[in-house]
């Protein structure tokens, strides 16, 4: 069957279509950016607020039922997990997916095991952590975050005082926010007001919904920290959800002592909470 040629394009027609495509793409990108800013007011690429972000489902995510892991049993489990990262031959897509699932399952068992371990085992775990590589350090942090004990909190605090890599230090702060151990907000409150602006921002995120930090978050909103930290404090204060927290947000939304951006975000958080 013969196909008749279509009409020749008009001069500039190709450029017009290209311009339309670019314009449409720009509009979509703008909507994405606006939506992203509404949940990330500081405009940073920081970890998600409100707790430790981990590859196994996050705080409270489903983990396998697991007996406590400590001592030799923990060392053996970590060794078996580490062998899954040893170099191997070429894998097709199915083999790669299977290996990733095996790694994730092994990591989940270790995290659950540390979470269920005797709090008295945390001191030995800390010693291992200090000499571990970054990958293992991150896994151990995740496990300690799941251990709802005061010893677990103290272990995370000790990890923070001796961490060397920025990524590892930030994960410790996020893990403290995710911990259910007593006193988990104490170090975060100190870092929130500290001189390390990036660490203060992560601490503000980690304090999301922490009623014990209500006064500290409120004070930071009016303090001297950079606006990125203070905006995160507004969001974390909103996550507490108590009448007093809502009252503090209402005051911030109307305070002439604060920048328009901070006031607007406080008002937005009240709106999201259904408070008028």
């Amino acid at each position: 069957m013969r196909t008749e040629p279509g009409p020749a394009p008009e001069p500039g027609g190709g450029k017009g279509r290209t311009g339309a495509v670019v314009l449409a793409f720009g509009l979509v990108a703008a909507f994405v950016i606006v939506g992203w800013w509404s949940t990330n007011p500081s405009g940073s690429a920081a970890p998600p607020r409100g707790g430790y972000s981990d590859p196994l489902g996050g705080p409270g995510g489903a983990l396998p039922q697991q007996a406590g892991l400590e001592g030799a049993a923990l060392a053996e489990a970590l060794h078996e997990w580490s062998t899954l990262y040893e170099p191997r031959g070429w894998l097709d897509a199915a083999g790669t997916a299977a290996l990733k699932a095996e790694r994730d399952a092994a990591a989940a068992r270790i995290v659950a095991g540390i979470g269920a371990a005797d709090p008295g085992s945390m001191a030995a775990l800390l010693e291992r952590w200090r000499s571990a590589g970054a990958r293992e350090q991150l896994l151990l942090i995740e496990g300690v975050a799941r251990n709802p004990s005061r010893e677990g909190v103290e272990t995370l605090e000790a990890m923070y005082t001796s961490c060397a890599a920025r990524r590892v230090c930030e994960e410790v702060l996020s893990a403290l926010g995710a911990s259910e151990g007593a006193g988990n907000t104490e170090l975060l409150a100190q870092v929130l007001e500290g001189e390390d602006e990036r660490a203060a921002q992560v601490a503000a995120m980690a304090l999301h919904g922490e009623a014990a930090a209500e006064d500290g978050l409120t004070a930071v909103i009016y303090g001297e920290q950079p606006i990125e930290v203070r905006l995160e404090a507004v969001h974390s204060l909103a996550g507490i959800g108590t009448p007093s927290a809502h009252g503090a947000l209402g005051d911030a939304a109307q305070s002439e002592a604060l920048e328009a951006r901070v006031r607007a975000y406080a008002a937005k958080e009240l709106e999201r909470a259904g408070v008028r």
Side-chain angles (χ1 to χ4, degrees), residues 70-71 117-126 147 149 151-152 155:
E70 52 195 76
D118 188 318
S121 68
M122 294 293 104
L125 184 149
L126 176 61
N147 193 290
S149 64
E151 289 86 347
T155 298

Side-chain angles (χ1 to χ4, degrees), residues 33-42 49 208 231-232 234-236 238-239 241 246 249 261 264-276:
I33 291 171
V34 170
W36 172 77
W37 185 88
S38 69
T39 57
N40 188 23
S42 65
R49 304 180 190 85
H208 183 270
L231 287 171
E232 297 296 353
V234 168
H235 180 77
S236 291
H246 289 157
L249 286 172
R261 185 179 173 190
Y265 194 62
K268 184 66 174 178
E269 288 292 352
L270 284 172
E271 182 182 340
R272 285 175 180 160
V275 179
R276 296 289 186 269

